[in-house]
Amino acid sequence: MELIDIGANLTHESFSSDLRQVIEDAKNANISHIILTGTDLKTSLAAKELSAASPSMHSSTAGFHPHVASTFDDAAFAEIARLSASTCVVAIGETGLDYNRNFSSKSDQLTAFERHLELASDVHKPVFLHQREAHEDFYRLLAQYRGKLTGGVVHCFTDNEAALKDYLALDMYIGVTGWICDERRGLDLQRITPMIPLNRLLIETDAPYLMPRNLNPKPKNRRNEPKYLISVLEKIAECYQVSPEVIAQATTTNAKILFNIDL
């Protein structure tokens, strides 16, 4: 069984002392490839360097998370555009809108999001998207650019059924994380995830965040890792009422198609 983790923040400081072991543990858990998420210029550069050093195991994204959209200026955009030309950078993002915490103003988020969409259209690479409590504005912009985009994934999907149907109508992929393993917050996601056609489903850890709550025993450091993707896989398979192998095969194929990964 082969798995691809389409979103892991392995440039996060929590992995600075044991990254090699984390990757080895992932390989032992049948993770054949990990896409490293760029959330600002620093992490996008670091993710690109890690991917270039180990292209069989890693690819990366390049972009500015909506939380840091206020720091996204012309100079930063030029650097992200430069990174996007690299073969190991397989998507533009993480980008999108987050009105839940509003660490950056709505106007800055909208400007940064649109510039990412324009860049993705120009370089013909998919978008790696974030949306939280911003569906209306997010959907409007995404729909406006969808005809120019090669594709994309709404990563770490946690919204409602109506939003899910909107994104599927735009022929987007949907990324599911350990949120689905949460017996408190994840019940609605457990219900609607089987509405995602198997050819539009992707799985991810978003490590070090969103550790699956169905882990037993739970790690003492409370840090999520790619090796725990198997717990996400098993919960999704339970929701679809199919074997884990069915979900693994579908999501691995989807990741290779969307991100043009040749393993």
Side-chain angles (χ1 to χ4, degrees):
M1 185 168 62
E2 177 187 9
L3 293 172
I4 294 179
D5 186 348
I6 65 132
N9 300 279
L10 296 189
T11 61
H12 190 272
E13 60 184 7
S14 64
F15 295 110
S16 60
S17 64
D18 64 344
L19 180 59
R20 183 172 297 180
Q21 186 61 54
V22 167
I23 294 170
E24 192 62 31
D25 290 346
K27 291 178 180 177
N28 291 335
N30 296 319
I31 312 298
S32 63
H33 200 78
I34 303 168
I35 298 178
L36 309 175
T37 310
T39 56
D40 57 20
L41 188 53
K42 180 181 178 180
T43 56
S44 294
L45 286 165
K48 184 261 182 183
E49 291 303 314
L50 281 171
S51 299
S54 183
S56 63
M57 188 63 191
H58 300 301
S59 302
S60 64
T61 75
F64 273 66
H65 192 286
H67 285 344
V68 294
S70 294
T71 67
F72 184 76
D73 55 18
D74 288 343
F77 181 76
E79 281 296 293
I80 294 299
R82 182 183 65 80
L83 283 175
S84 71
S86 172
T87 56
C88 60
V89 174
V90 296
I92 306 303
E94 182 173 355
T95 183
L97 302 174
D98 192 314
Y99 294 171
N100 172 260
R101 305 180 82 173
N102 280 318
F103 288 146
S104 291
S105 70
K106 289 185 179 181
S107 62
D108 284 344
Q109 290 187 51
L110 287 163
T111 297
F113 183 27
E114 186 160 16
R115 294 193 73 175
H116 281 78
L117 292 170
E118 290 171 347
L119 176 61
S121 301
D122 290 341
V123 300
H124 306 294
K125 290 189 176 181
V127 282
F128 190 85
L129 301 172
H130 173 104
Q131 185 277 116
R132 193 171 183 191
E133 296 184 16
H135 172 70
E136 185 175 341
D137 285 349
F138 178 88
Y139 177 74
R140 174 181 54 80
L141 263 180
L142 182 58
Q144 179 181 331
Y145 280 87
R146 181 63 185 95
K148 303 176 184 178
L149 297 170
T150 62
V153 55
V154 181
H155 120 96
C156 190
F157 180 82
T158 58
D159 211 322
N160 57 32
E161 181 178 338
L164 176 63
K165 289 180 177 178
D166 280 345
Y167 303 145
L168 290 174
L170 292 178
D171 204 24
M172 302 300 290
Y173 288 84
I174 307 296
V176 178
T177 65
W179 189 283
I180 199 171
C181 304
D182 193 323
E183 77 285 357
R184 309 158 305 167
R185 300 183 299 174
L187 295 179
D188 197 48
L189 185 60
Q190 292 173 19
R191 179 184 66 82
I192 66 176
T193 289
M195 299 178 184
I196 304 170
L198 284 180
N199 68 350
R200 282 294 172 268
L201 177 68
L202 293 167
I203 56 174
E204 53 183 321
T205 57
D206 202 30
Y209 314 111
L210 296 176
M211 186 184 72
R213 283 178 56 85
N214 58 349
L215 289 178
N216 189 19
K218 294 179 173 59
K220 293 181 180 179
N221 63 9
R222 311 297 293 180
R223 182 186 69 178
N224 197 11
E225 297 183 25
K227 69 180 179 181
Y228 299 136
L229 190 64
I230 187 68
S231 294
V232 181
L233 173 77
E234 290 172 347
K235 188 62 180 181
I236 292 174
E238 177 186 318
C239 293
Y240 276 89
Q241 298 185 329
V242 298
S243 71
E245 288 78 12
V246 169
I247 302 298
Q249 182 175 5
T251 56
T252 298
T253 298
N254 294 341
K256 290 178 178 178
I257 292 171
L258 176 63
F259 298 110
N260 196 26
I261 299 171
D262 184 16
L263 298 180

